[in-house]
Amino acid sequence: MNAQKGHSLVETLWALFLGTIVLGALLGAVRHAQIFSSDLDLLLERDGNLWLLPVLLSQWMTPAGNMRSEGQWEGLSISENTVSARSDIDGASGFPDGDTSDRYENIALKCSGGSLRMRSGGGGFQPVSPAVVSLRPSWSGRILRLEITTATARPLWRRSAPSLQTVEVLYALPNYRPTLFEGGSEQ
Amino acid sequence: MKPTLPNGPTAARRPDHASRLRGFVLIAALWLLVLMGLLGTLCYWTTLGIWRMERRVEGQLEARLWAENGIEYASSLLSTIDLNATLGGPDGIPCPGTRRNPASFQDAVQLAPGDWEASCDDGFPVTEGGASAGKAIHGARGRMAAIRFSNNSEEDPRRDQDRVVLVRSLGVAPRLTAAPETPEVRNSAFLIEARLRQERALEPSGAINILADEASLSWSGRAFSVDGADHAAIAAATWTGDSLPADLADSVAVSQIGSFQADQGLPLFMDFRLDLLSSPDRQRILSPGFWSHFRLRLPDFDRGLQGGLAFLSEPGDFSASFQGFLAVAGELRLKGDALVRGLLVHLGPGRVEMTDRARVEGAIWLTNAEEPQPGLHAEPVSFAMGDQAAVRFDAAAVREALSQLPATRLGWRILFPEMSDGGL
């Protein structure tokens, strides 16, 4: 006798129907996994900036702000969302030479256009870190305090606004203090 | 229909196909295991690498903090150390070459902080009493900051004259994770250099030191005493470089000469302007900015009458005891059993008066620079002494008073291995 091969129409339709349901469920699960992955990427990107910025800024701000307070320049100056640091820290001999023309002796930071921008020397402000929505500097004693807020590039799933995260960083400027006797720069 | 035998080809094919299928699944499973193992291992090593990097950054930051602490320690120590004894080392035998680093970078990453000893002792601090002040500060779990002084390059390496020195502070922190590829690297090291000045510009040349173009001095009776010991009784210098005001010596009656004592080879009243000009450090007090800056900053450094460095900014009477550096602005009357042991620096304006049994053991500076303004304008100095008041030059008290003055930081920088004189 011949073995019966193939399937009946009803069996095929049932198989298609069940397959569609299974596929739909699978796609739904994949979609959620994608959403989770995408949100995680956004959060990691936002937080990654926050982790990196304090280290970067310590390399720039601490030397530029680390001057004696009675020097010829303004030293540290702070406005609403901008902080400037100016120190004579470097010259040909490696010690102060009487001007602030060398790299990283004159640094300004501000937040504008949704990013953190930096100016070194006399140039214009260049973007340093994206997705920084605010920079709030303050100064007390010999401690420079920077409050930095970053945001995700777009709102997370089912959120109407980008998610924010804030970090507060304190920088000690041990040289930013008066001297009893005049120092002056080494020429 | 073909007849099929029980042991024919069709019957024989089915068992082979099943066994091949089982074999394929086994191999696929093994490959999957290997793949997952590789992925897991990759993930593990990546995470480990990131963790090690983060720990090394932490180690570097710790080493940097310790290096900065070392600079602070050296700065606080500088006021009390004997510079030339320090530059020559406690044993007085000069080391070959110029040593600036406490240890080379190569040694620093391998040393055991608890067992570290410098190969040569030049540059390690020696106090003015001759004692070694310690080469390093140690912390918990192997952290250390080692400091070493050296002379600035403008001077002889072992003879200082301008009171300006370099100090290098090496911060060492043990690595929190070992690096298998470099097992000999045990520590993180960070080197900072600072240029400091020991403040001795106000070192007196006599029991009473006057820096003014005009002076009004008044001596009452014969019971007072001005004893210069091995210095002059009164040393004076003018701003303009003119000769000593005649009214200085004329103020003393012949009968009062016995109240003044000085070193046998020195006059009672000495012009010390040349002494100031011959010292790279002390000549600073003749510059316009020196006194105005000093007066402007004194309130920031006032530690009160118990703190060794005090500033009295209002005129008044003083009848207490004080030891250290006392700066005064305005009229001052030392009366009763007032005792100032150390340096009394009067910045003017106004008169200084010593009466009753008031004593100064150390020295007095009198100068009348006005409030800070462009240029320097000196009013006449006014000083009166009578009754049993006494001023006696005391070198130890002067030295202790000057040690209360904080060192001035002239420069600060981070050094990397390629910048630090080959590690020496």
Side-chain angles (χ1 to χ4, degrees):
Chain A
M1 270 171 94
N2 286 336
Q4 192 155 358
K5 295 181 182 175
H7 302 281
S8 69
L9 178 62
V10 174
E11 288 170 344
T12 305
L13 287 175
W14 268 114
L16 283 173
F17 176 68
L18 291 173
T20 306
I21 292 175
V22 169
L23 190 63
L26 190 66
L27 285 175
V30 166
R31 178 171 170 269
H32 280 289
Q34 276 185 331
I35 291 170
F36 170 76
S37 172
S38 169
D39 282 356
L40 192 61
D41 277 345
L42 289 173
L43 290 170
L44 283 175
E45 188 185 331
R46 179 197 69 182
D47 293 348
N49 286 334
L50 272 185
W51 297 332
L52 188 59
L53 273 176
V55 177
L56 281 180
L57 294 179
S58 74
Q59 301 293 330
W60 302 330
M61 295 303 295
T62 312
N66 201 15
M67 65 168 283
R68 292 188 305 280
S69 66
E70 76 273 12
Q72 303 170 35
W73 307 278
E74 211 169 332
L76 265 187
S77 65
I78 290 174
S79 64
E80 194 181 320
N81 70 340
T82 306
V83 55
S84 303
R86 209 169 168 190
S87 290
D88 179 16
I89 55 173
D90 196 20
S93 66
F95 283 111
D97 60 359
D99 67 65
T100 55
S101 59
D102 293 313
R103 270 188 325 161
Y104 301 117
E105 285 186 321
N106 186 354
I107 301 276
L109 280 178
K110 76 172 182 181
C111 177
S112 76
S115 67
L116 187 69
R117 294 170 180 268
M118 185 180 93
R119 184 187 66 203
S120 173
F125 279 92
Q126 304 298 327
V128 168
S129 178
V132 173
V133 297
S134 82
L135 172 71
R136 277 185 293 277
S138 62
W139 167 244
S140 159
R142 294 202 293 274
I143 304 290
L144 171 65
R145 190 182 307 259
L146 295 179
E147 196 177 282
I148 305 169
T149 303
T150 57
T152 50
R154 60 178 185 278
L156 300 179
W157 188 50
R158 287 191 177 174
R159 301 285 174 90
S160 57
S163 291
L164 305 179
Q165 180 75 328
T166 301
V167 68
E168 188 185 47
V169 191
L170 307 177
Y171 296 108
L173 305 179
N175 276 342
Y176 203 94
R177 54 189 160 183
T179 55
L180 184 55
F181 297 95
E182 56 178 355
S185 301
E186 301 296 323
Q187 298 295 331
Chain B
M1 196 164 82
K2 271 189 190 172
T4 55
L5 297 173
N7 292 327
T10 305
R13 200 164 47 237
R14 278 201 294 275
D16 288 341
H17 176 69
S19 67
R20 277 204 294 275
L21 195 61
R22 282 198 294 275
F24 171 74
V25 169
L26 177 64
I27 290 178
L30 286 174
W31 270 112
L32 202 60
L33 278 173
V34 166
L35 192 64
M36 290 177 67
L38 281 174
L39 282 173
T41 306
L42 185 67
C43 187
Y44 168 75
W45 283 112
T46 304
T47 307
L48 190 66
I50 292 170
W51 180 67
R52 279 194 184 137
M53 272 195 308
E54 181 265 335
R55 288 299 201 162
R56 281 176 202 166
V57 168
E58 211 172 305
Q60 272 290 301
L61 281 174
E62 268 202 42
R64 174 176 176 160
L65 284 174
W66 275 86
E68 289 180 358
N69 284 345
I71 294 295
E72 293 295 322
Y73 173 62
S75 188
S76 66
L77 209 56
L78 184 62
S79 307
T80 62
I81 64 173
D82 181 329
L83 282 181
N84 286 318
T86 295
L87 295 174
D91 62 3
I93 301 170
C95 301
T98 301
R99 305 287 176 124
R100 296 202 189 275
N101 283 11
S104 66
F105 270 100
Q106 192 177 5
D107 290 341
V109 298
Q110 297 174 3
L111 60 84
D115 301 332
W116 173 71
E117 280 196 20
S119 57
C120 181
D121 68 353
D122 280 10
F124 293 111
V126 176
T127 66
E128 283 169 330
S132 178
K135 308 181 178 84
I137 44 175
H138 293 270
R141 298 195 298 266
R143 288 150 182 84
M144 178 182 90
I147 60 170
R148 188 174 216 162
F149 292 90
S150 57
N151 208 357
N152 51 323
S153 54
E154 293 85 3
E155 291 191 314
D156 183 297
R158 286 175 194 88
R159 189 161 180 275
D160 173 80
Q161 288 185 293
D162 61 1
R163 303 282 180 181
V164 176
V165 291
L166 300 179
V167 60
R168 289 191 180 179
S169 171
L170 181 69
V172 175
R175 281 267 174 97
L176 298 173
T177 57
E181 61 275 15
T182 52
E184 72 282 3
V185 177
R186 299 164 51 187
N187 306 316
S188 296
F190 203 94
L191 188 64
I192 295 178
E193 182 179 64
R195 191 173 171 112
L196 305 175
R197 184 176 61 214
Q198 187 187 59
E199 293 298 340
R200 293 287 189 272
L202 291 174
E203 197 157 0
S205 294
I208 298 176
N209 303 263
I210 299 173
L211 186 56
D213 289 330
E214 296 171 62
S216 165
L217 306 179
S218 169
W219 318 99
S220 305
R222 290 185 293 174
F224 67 90
S225 167
V226 179
D227 181 1
D230 54 355
H231 288 66
I234 299 181
T238 58
W239 296 109
T240 56
D242 294 339
S243 31
L244 206 62
D247 51 6
L248 194 64
D250 291 346
S251 66
V252 180
V254 173
S255 59
Q256 293 172 323
I257 292 287
S259 295
F260 294 84
Q261 292 90 42
D263 185 88
Q264 280 187 353
L266 293 171
L268 292 179
F269 307 105
M270 186 183 82
D271 187 335
F272 74 120
R273 186 179 169 85
L274 283 178
D275 277 356
L276 293 177
L277 290 172
S278 65
S279 164
D281 178 42
R282 297 176 74 203
Q283 64 179 251
R284 290 160 46 220
I285 71 171
L286 296 173
S287 74
F290 179 90
W291 293 100
S292 57
H293 182 107
F294 179 59
R295 188 184 181 124
L296 186 67
R297 290 299 171 199
L298 266 172
D300 296 328
F301 291 85
D302 180 10
R303 299 199 290 260
L305 290 175
Q306 308 303 322
L309 198 168
F311 176 47
L312 302 177
S313 55
E314 299 295 327
D317 297 345
F318 186 88
S319 56
S321 290
F322 176 84
Q323 185 164 343
F325 188 99
L326 179 62
V328 181
E331 260 193 34
L332 175 70
R333 287 179 293 279
L334 292 170
K335 55 199 298 187
D337 292 305
L339 170 62
V340 175
R341 182 171 165 75
L343 266 180
L344 169 63
V345 178
H346 186 253
L347 303 171
R351 179 183 171 104
V352 177
E353 197 174 323
M354 289 183 69
T355 59
D356 300 335
R357 295 162 302 284
R359 285 178 298 145
V360 173
E361 293 177 3
I364 296 177
W365 273 95
L366 301 169
T367 180
N368 267 5
E370 285 189 345
E371 290 295 330
Q373 59 185 3
L376 182 70
H377 177 65
E379 296 293 332
V381 159
S382 178
F383 180 78
M385 198 165 175
D387 295 335
Q388 295 164 24
V391 179
R392 184 177 66 87
F393 190 95
D394 185 324
V398 166
R399 195 163 51 238
E400 193 187 326
L402 289 173
S403 72
Q404 299 295 327
L405 301 175
T408 300
R409 193 171 297 191
L410 302 174
W412 182 100
R413 63 176 177 167
I414 296 169
L415 288 178
F416 301 98
E418 58 273 16
M419 297 163 66
S420 61
D421 306 324
L424 288 178

